[in-house]
Amino acid sequence: MRTAATVNPELIFSGIIFLALVLFLVMFIAVGLFTFFIWIFFRRKRNLTSLILRLRRLGTWTVTLVINLLILIALSQKMSYTPPILDNSGKVLEGSIAELSQIDINGSKQWITIRGNSTQKPILLFLAGGPGGSQLAATRIELKELEKHFIVVNWDQPGSGKSFNAVNKKELTVQRYINDGIELTKYLEKRFNKDKVYVVGESWGSALGLFLVKERPELYYGFIGTGQMVNFLETEKMDYELAKKRAKENGDLDVVEKLNKQGPPPYYGSDVTWKAASYLMYLSNEMARNPKISNAGYNTFSEVGAPEYGIYDKINYFRGVVTTFNHVYPQLYNKDLRNEAVKIDVPVHFLIGRHDINAPTVLAEDYYNKLMAPFKELVWFEHSGHDPWRNESDKFVQSLINISLKNK
């Protein structure tokens, strides 16, 4: 979904538009009511009694509007769901599972979706990009075929989407994500009576997944990484320089000037997200225009508009991209998987987009060459950028099916 370091940078722009529209609507109503009140006041020649009455009515209308808005938000949260899996006749498929659940993970309430044609299939845990990204609807839409072969579980990690407020931001550390991921894995294995699960991670999730299988290899059949992150700070520096180079070649001198002014990563403080977005969005747009990449671009608004998210979740969908990333990402600058996860005790599969310019493929190749694992493979997706699971979803699904068949 995103870029190398955060989730899809288009989310930032889309989120700003969404929040701006909400703010505009509130301001429009407030200004409208105020203007109407002034008009009535002057029309009635400033009659004090009339003024007081109209002030009361205005107050009543405002309170009623706020209450109705809160009720609407609460109802939308309560009515959120993941669509059922249907058979060819349009009825709910017998034996299937389509569940949107809030579960306890290490003392906090976090959300997951569980979807599959049969609960007898192996579990596939999908780790979204970010930190702060939510892909509950995106994977359901793009990887629907997987539900025939797996119990597909998507986790809104703390600080993202429906789990935005699950954990205090000060407690969001890399180790917290690892601990929560392990607890979620154990919960799924116990619930569905499975010995192990497959874990798939994209972008930030690709690093998190490797941390999980390194710490508790006995819980996993194997790891599948895409948009593979390796060294976070090195990635950011390479992306920054590449964006400047491409912008200069394209004649986008305002972008070059902006990047020169802010300087290269690392970044700290309250504007990490915005500084990173200045080059990540540029590279994302470059990939969106690349004719060699299939199904380029994103369906941000259709995904955030999905029934898995209530109104409050939709706002938090964007807040996670900005605030959680801003807090967590600087903690990753010192992470290099070539040092911290060079030996993995489960099979490792890298599904890499040939045209990924957000997670430099040269780093993924270098890591792959150094990696020690019982089995490893690197599969190139020749028509993909950072998101092979979107760009070449059919091939991505078939690759995961083939991986699972090797364990039978």
Side-chain angles (χ1 to χ4, degrees), residues 85-121:
I85 297 173
L86 307 178
D87 61 19
N88 293 332
S89 65
K91 296 180 180 179
V92 175
L93 181 64
E94 186 177 354
S96 66
I97 183 170
E99 183 179 301
L100 175 65
S101 303
Q102 186 183 47
I103 64 173
D104 185 278
I105 301 179
N106 288 324
S108 68
K109 300 296 184 181
Q110 301 179 32
W111 288 87
I112 59 173
T113 55
I114 306 175
R115 299 182 56 83
N117 286 21
S118 168
T119 56
Q120 303 307 309
K121 300 295 184 178

Side-chain angles (χ1 to χ4, degrees), residues 244-295:
K244 275 208 311 182
K245 179 177 180 292
R246 293 288 182 92
K248 190 176 297 183
E249 292 171 351
N250 295 335
D252 296 325
L253 301 183
D254 56 332
V255 175
V256 177
E257 181 180 358
K258 180 179 181 180
L259 292 174
N260 282 332
K261 184 176 181 181
Q262 75 180 40
Y267 306 124
Y268 301 94
S270 60
D271 58 354
V272 174
T273 301
W274 308 114
K275 286 183 175 178
S278 63
Y279 53 86
L280 294 176
M281 288 180 72
Y282 194 85
L283 295 180
S284 182
N285 290 332
E286 285 279 285
M287 285 191 290
R289 293 192 295 265
N290 188 340
K292 296 179 180 179
I293 297 177
S294 302
N295 192 33

Side-chain angles (χ1 to χ4, degrees), residues 53 92 128 173 198 211 238 266 302 321 346 364:
L53 288 173
V92 175
T173 63
Y198 294 96
F211 292 144
M238 292 174 70
S302 64
V321 175
V346 302

Side-chain angles (χ1 to χ4, degrees), residues 132-369:
S134 173
Q135 294 171 336
L136 299 183
T139 49
R140 170 175 58 80
I141 296 168
E142 301 288 350
L143 301 175
K144 184 179 179 65
E145 193 68 19
L146 278 180
E147 297 170 5
K148 296 179 181 179
H149 307 275
F150 298 92
I151 304 170
V152 182
V153 179
N154 204 310
W155 171 33
D156 256 5
Q157 301 160 28
S160 69
K162 297 179 75 69
S163 301
F164 180 76
N165 293 310
V167 175
N168 188 298
K169 294 297 178 289
K170 295 180 180 178
E171 299 177 24
L172 287 181
T173 63
V174 176
Q175 191 58 50
R176 172 72 198 229
Y177 284 107
I178 295 171
N179 294 343
D180 286 1
I182 289 172
E183 286 305 305
L184 172 58
T185 300
K186 292 193 289 188
Y187 163 83
L188 294 170
E189 291 173 351
K190 181 178 180 180
R191 175 173 173 180
F192 293 101
N193 193 29
K194 309 291 184 182
D195 295 327
K196 299 180 180 183
V197 309
Y198 294 96
V199 59
V200 181
E202 72 103 4
S203 200
W204 141 251
S206 70
L208 176 57
L210 279 164
F211 292 144
L212 296 184
V213 299
K214 178 175 174 53
E215 187 155 322
R216 294 295 300 274
E218 74 277 8
L219 298 178
Y220 302 96
Y221 284 120
F223 167 76
I224 303 99
T226 188
Q228 185 64 50
M229 294 295 290
V230 178
N231 180 306
F232 286 83
L233 182 54
E234 189 174 354
T235 292
E236 296 309 295
K237 289 180 176 179
M238 292 174 70
D239 286 355
Y240 171 86
E241 293 298 336
L242 180 59
K244 275 208 311 182
K245 179 177 180 292
R246 293 288 182 92
K248 190 176 297 183
E249 292 171 351
N250 295 335
D252 296 325
L253 301 183
D254 56 332
V255 175
V256 177
E257 181 180 358
K258 180 179 181 180
L259 292 174
N260 282 332
K261 184 176 181 181
Q262 75 180 40
Y267 306 124
Y268 301 94
S270 60
D271 58 354
V272 174
T273 301
W274 308 114
K275 286 183 175 178
S278 63
Y279 53 86
L280 294 176
M281 288 180 72
Y282 194 85
L283 295 180
S284 182
N285 290 332
E286 285 279 285
M287 285 191 290
R289 293 192 295 265
N290 188 340
K292 296 179 180 179
I293 297 177
S294 302
N295 192 33
Y298 303 92
N299 299 309
T300 302
F301 281 112
S302 64
E303 290 168 6
V304 77
E308 282 87 352
Y309 306 105
I311 294 175
Y312 186 57
D313 300 326
K314 297 180 195 302
I315 295 172
N316 287 337
Y317 183 97
F318 298 112
R319 292 175 69 195
V321 175
V322 177
T323 61
T324 301
F325 177 82
N326 201 88
H327 174 74
V328 177
Y329 204 76
Q331 301 177 38
L332 299 171
Y333 286 145
N334 64 346
K335 299 295 181 182
D336 186 341
L337 274 66
R338 293 168 298 189
N339 298 326
E340 298 189 37
V342 71
K343 185 177 185 299
I344 301 295
D345 294 325
V346 302
V348 175
H349 312 264
F350 291 156
L351 310 183
I352 306 298
R354 179 70 73 179
H355 308 287
D356 188 351
I357 57 174
N358 282 335
T361 58
V362 63
L363 296 183
E365 287 186 278
D366 185 43
Y367 176 41
Y368 176 79
N369 291 332

Side-chain angles (χ1 to χ4, degrees), residues 364-389:
E365 287 186 278
D366 185 43
Y367 176 41
Y368 176 79
N369 291 332
K370 292 181 170 65
L371 179 67
M372 294 180 287
F375 175 84
K376 65 178 183 178
E377 69 171 342
L378 192 161
V379 180
W380 289 105
F381 282 63
E382 300 295 340
H383 303 288
S384 292
H386 188 61
D387 306 303
W389 62 280

